[in-house]
Amino acid sequence: MRRLGRRSFVMGAVSTVAALTTAGDAVAVPRPGAGRRRRRRAGEGEMRGVWIATVANIDWPSATGLSAAAQQAELIAHLDRAVDLRLNTVVLQVRPTADALWPSSFEPWAECLTGVQGKDPGWDPLGTAVREAHARGLELHAWFNPYRVANHTDPSKLVATHPARIHPEWVLPYGGKLYYNPGLPEVRKFVQDAMLDAVSRYAIDAVHWDDYFYPYPVAGQVFDDDDAFALHGGDFTDKEAWRRDNTDRLVRETAARIKEVRSGTRFGISPFGVWRNASTDPAGSDTAAGVETYDDLYADTRKWVKEGWIDYICPQVYFKAQRSGQAVSYSKLVPWWAETVRGTGVDLYIGEALYKVNTEDWPASELVTHLDIAAQYPEVKGHMLFSASVVAKNPKGVMTAIAGEWAR
């Protein structure tokens, strides 16, 4: 992820959600009496992952229009760095804006490669990433965004063969961006087909989604899916419940289809960290977040865990451990998620806001504190770091500190 999630429209949304949060209770501390647990080493099953974001060239490629050789060299450098830092997984964004980092049968080549959507970059980034990651003992999780089409609202800027131009009835503008309409069954099938094309071609270790389902709310704007609700709402009288059902269907159907296409491939989702506040729902977390995935993104993340539809969940717990008056804290969310996954068979990883060491008043020790808190909960099976360019820059020596902890 970042809003308190991630990524530019992504990073831009980080500030949006931050503004929506309200002051809350003092932060809880780790379990009383809990000592410092020895962390699992990567060879013992601990997830140590890093996100490589391609949307808007956040992490890779460093710029559009680089030669195929230069793009490949940069990618290999990210993989080699992951090995050097004792990471074991890279999460590569391969479908950033309804376009593809492989020769897709459904969508055009990604603009982030050449600067021109639909232009062949002269090599196969996803195929190369899978091969080179596996050669280094790394897992490759392919990160897809189901519904985002563009970071603008002008369909004419899309390549002429883009499915969103061929099917304009599938697309809705909202918040300065274009989205596929999740309420249309034909859209749900298409985005699954587009993603599963990669699963059928490559031995990826996991299909990975982040926190974009229905878009984050934008004040004063309406996501205009009234016509879709009228056509496909069925017996639903509550549009919000219908929207959640649409997202449930996407998750459930995709999970089943992954197993059909490549049974060894896992399915993981990295949502915004707060399902619901306890003030909204007694089952929620002791937080005061201004955005709740259940109510605002129509994503019942807790249900997906309880139903066992996914193999892992990696909530974006992009908050400090302890701060007076903090609306949401790491120390409260981690135990809530640990309790949520307990007994379900769904693995829990924690998404870490490495980038905040660069952009906010976070010392490198904040992330080490996070590792210590998470280590108190055996349900936490590892961490994912956002993101690769920050890993490379190592601001305030944060990766040196984290790698040192992992070496203990």
Side-chain angles (χ1 to χ4, degrees):
M1 260 135 106
R2 309 186 348 161
R3 93 194 183 305
L4 297 172
R6 56 169 177 264
R7 327 216 208 301
S8 79
F9 27 159
V10 184
M11 299 293 194
V14 171
S15 58
T16 300
V17 173
L20 289 170
T21 56
T22 56
D25 298 332
V27 176
V29 296
R31 279 182 191 165
R36 192 176 196 184
R37 185 185 301 273
R38 184 183 74 85
R39 299 190 186 91
R40 291 178 296 274
R41 294 183 179 274
E44 298 171 337
E46 182 177 26
M47 166 61 70
R48 296 176 181 175
V50 59
W51 280 286
I52 303 178
T54 61
V55 64
N57 299 91
I58 290 174
D59 293 317
W60 176 82
S62 61
T64 59
L66 299 179
S67 68
Q71 290 179 8
Q72 185 166 342
E74 287 188 352
L75 178 61
I76 295 301
H78 281 301
L79 301 181
D80 286 342
R81 188 177 300 109
V83 173
D84 292 343
L85 291 170
R86 300 183 176 90
L87 305 180
N88 56 23
T89 302
V90 292
V91 186
L92 177 64
Q93 190 174 33
V94 300
R95 186 177 182 264
T97 50
D99 48 16
L101 272 76
W102 73 97
S104 170
S105 302
F106 295 88
E107 294 177 311
W109 280 106
E111 181 179 0
C112 64
L113 296 170
T114 64
V116 179
Q117 191 174 65
K119 183 178 179 180
D120 190 332
W123 67 300
D124 180 355
L126 177 53
T128 301
V130 171
R131 182 182 68 249
E132 296 294 338
H134 289 171
R136 289 162 174 76
L138 297 167
E139 288 195 3
L140 193 289
H141 294 203
W143 164 18
F144 305 85
N145 185 283
Y147 292 129
R148 183 175 59 217
V149 173
N151 192 31
H152 56 75
T153 58
D154 184 358
S156 70
K157 292 181 179 180
L158 304 173
V159 66
T161 57
H162 197 292
R165 292 190 66 177
I166 296 171
H167 297 282
E169 72 279 8
W170 289 1
V171 180
L172 291 174
Y174 182 77
K177 301 174 178 62
L178 292 175
Y179 296 92
Y180 283 130
N181 186 345
L184 299 177
E186 57 269 35
V187 163
R188 190 168 65 246
K189 180 181 185 304
F190 172 78
V191 298
Q192 290 177 46
D193 290 344
M195 293 183 287
L196 289 163
D197 181 68
V199 180
S200 69
R201 291 170 182 256
Y202 308 102
I204 61 176
D205 296 288
V207 168
H208 180 98
W209 295 350
D210 61 0
D211 51 332
Y212 282 98
F213 300 100
Y214 278 83
Y216 278 80
V218 177
Q221 297 198 25
V222 175
F223 192 73
D224 188 11
D225 56 356
D226 285 350
D227 289 345
F229 183 47
L231 283 171
H232 304 292
D235 294 332
F236 285 97
T237 56
D238 179 351
K239 186 195 279 190
E240 294 187 349
W242 170 73
R243 286 175 171 176
R244 275 188 292 275
D245 183 66
N246 291 332
T247 312
D248 284 350
R249 286 172 183 266
L250 180 72
V251 173
R252 186 174 65 246
E253 291 167 3
T254 301
R257 293 185 65 185
I258 290 169
K259 290 179 174 59
E260 293 172 358
V261 173
R262 193 178 294 272
S263 61
T265 296
R266 301 173 77 205
F267 183 25
I269 298 179
S270 177
F272 174 68
V274 177
W275 170 71
R276 300 187 96 184
N277 298 315
S279 59
T280 304
D281 187 321
S285 53
D286 184 12
T287 51
V291 167
E292 301 160 277
T293 62
Y294 181 94
D295 301 277
D296 297 302
L297 307 183
Y298 309 100
D300 192 349
T301 53
R302 182 175 180 270
K303 178 179 180 179
W304 307 340
V305 171
K306 296 299 186 182
E307 295 290 338
W309 292 342
I310 55 180
D311 297 297
Y312 71 78
I313 194 158
C314 182
Q316 297 172 31
V317 189
Y318 290 1
F319 311 93
K320 277 192 170 182
Q322 300 188 44
R323 174 188 275 172
S324 178
Q326 187 166 293
V328 186
S329 77
Y330 191 95
S331 302
K332 289 182 176 179
L333 274 180
V334 168
W336 185 88
W337 280 106
E339 173 63 27
T340 296
V341 304
R342 193 169 297 145
T344 65
V346 175
D347 287 333
L348 172 62
Y349 312 134
I350 304 299
E352 302 286 353
L354 197 70
Y355 71 93
K356 289 195 173 184
V357 175
N358 230 0
T359 61
E360 298 187 11
D361 185 25
W362 282 36
S365 60
E366 177 69 31
L367 276 299
V368 175
T369 299
H370 287 192
L371 299 185
D372 285 338
I373 292 170
Q376 312 309 316
Y377 300 91
E379 295 83 8
V380 178
K381 300 298 176 63
H383 304 261
M384 291 184 179
L385 309 175
F386 188 79
S387 64
S389 59
V390 186
V391 168
K393 293 174 184 175
N394 192 24
K396 302 178 185 176
V398 63
M399 283 309 303
T400 303
I402 291 175
E405 289 294 302
W406 281 338
R408 291 193 304 108

